[in-house]
Amino acid sequence: ESAQGLVSRMIPGYTDEQIREGIRDLAYGFNQECMTGVKDPGISPRAWDAYQQVQQDGDLNLRVFVLWSGGRYRVVHQAVSIDG
């Protein structure tokens, strides 16, 4: 096992609120640069829920294109959109 692996296992993951705040910050930064869309490859159900919550809160005014990991989640087979 590598030293990097030993250290990275000790770092706690992001909380749901930290993920949502990161999405809000991303949207703000994109707005500052007049960018209107973002692509998020390899999204997880947890990240998807965060995007939906931020959009419902009115803090996501970007088009978000997500790429699900094929075959790992049931929602892969559903057409999904959070573009109001």
Side-chain angles (χ1 to χ4, degrees):
E1 189 166 24
S2 71
Q4 181 179 355
L6 292 171
V7 172
S8 63
R9 285 190 317 197
M10 303 300 289
I11 300 171
Y14 293 112
T15 66
D16 291 344
E17 181 54 37
Q18 287 173 320
I19 293 169
R20 290 189 299 269
E21 189 60 31
I23 293 170
R24 287 185 192 98
D25 289 346
L26 174 96
Y28 177 79
F30 271 49
N31 291 159
Q32 295 298 311
E33 298 296 327
C34 299
M35 296 168 67
T36 61
V38 61
K39 186 181 288 184
D40 191 350
I43 193 170
S44 68
R46 184 175 177 212
W48 175 255
D49 291 343
Y51 275 113
Q52 286 185 311
Q53 184 62 54
V54 173
Q55 192 270 336
Q56 290 169 1
D57 292 344
D59 296 330
L60 186 63
N61 56 359
L62 303 171
R63 291 188 181 272
V64 178
F65 302 91
V66 299
L67 301 172
W68 294 93
S69 297
R72 293 182 61 195
Y73 307 110
R74 282 193 220 176
V75 291
V76 169
H77 302 290
Q78 299 174 357
V80 292
S81 172
I82 61 172
D83 184 20

